[in-house]
């Protein structure tokens, strides 16, 4: 769980830097979607290597974005609510929205990265 948290901080930093850079050229939702795709790719390889210590296969890579769908929906809805409904600044909103998505992302990514056979080997 510690590795997942550290990688989450790195991933959030990657996302936020990409988001701010993209925000100079795109509307905030487009910047958010592109930054999410960039950080999700990095998250997959870092979590495969350090959190779950599993081989990053093509199958897992293709499934990983599906498992992050919950994260994407929670953060996107959160950014929308914070910016358009609560009038919070678009620079801070993604960070706050991502806090609500962390527990869901951990549970879903563990389910994908460690199929039952691999979980039994680790235990």
């Amino acid at each position: 769980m510690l590795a997942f948290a550290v990688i989450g901080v790195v991933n959030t930093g990657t996302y936020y830097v990409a988001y701010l850079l993209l925000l100079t050229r795109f509307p905030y939702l487009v910047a958010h979607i592109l930054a999410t795709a960039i950080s999700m790719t990095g998250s997959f390889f870092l979590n495969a290597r350090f959190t779950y210590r599993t081989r990053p296969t093509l199958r897992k890579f293709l499934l990983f974005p599906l498992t992050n769908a919950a994260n994407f929906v929670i953060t996107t809805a959160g950014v929308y609510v914070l910016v358009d409904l609560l009038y919070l600044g678009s620079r801070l909103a993604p960070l706050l929205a991502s806090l609500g998505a962390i527990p869901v992302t951990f549970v879903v990514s563990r389910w994908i990265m460690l199929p039952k056979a691999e979980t039994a080997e680790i235990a």
Side-chain angles (χ1 to χ4, degrees):
M1 185 71 173
L2 179 62
F4 184 81
V6 170
I7 291 169
V9 169
V10 171
N11 190 41
T12 301
T14 301
Y15 162 81
Y16 196 55
V17 168
Y19 175 75
L20 291 178
L21 291 173
L22 293 165
L23 192 58
T24 62
R25 299 227 179 224
F26 300 101
Y28 74 89
L29 281 179
V30 174
H32 167 68
I33 291 168
L34 293 173
T36 298
I38 292 167
S39 65
M40 191 182 309
T41 301
S43 177
F44 169 76
F45 287 106
L46 289 173
N47 277 305
R49 172 74 170 102
F50 298 107
T51 301
Y52 303 113
R53 297 188 177 124
T54 186
R55 179 185 299 243
T57 64
L58 180 60
R59 180 184 177 278
K60 291 174 185 173
F61 183 76
L62 294 175
L63 289 174
F64 194 73
L66 295 176
T67 66
N68 279 302
N71 180 294
F72 178 75
V73 169
I74 291 168
T75 57
T76 301
V79 167
Y80 173 76
V81 167
L82 291 169
V83 173
D84 282 354
L85 301 180
L86 300 177
Y87 305 109
L88 191 70
S90 60
R91 291 179 179 261
L92 182 61
L95 294 177
L96 295 175
S98 68
L99 290 175
I102 291 171
V104 175
T105 302
F106 177 77
V107 170
V108 176
S109 67
R110 181 178 169 87
W111 178 73
I112 285 297
M113 298 298 274
L114 294 178
K116 286 186 177 185
E118 289 186 37
T119 305
E121 291 174 11
I122 292 173

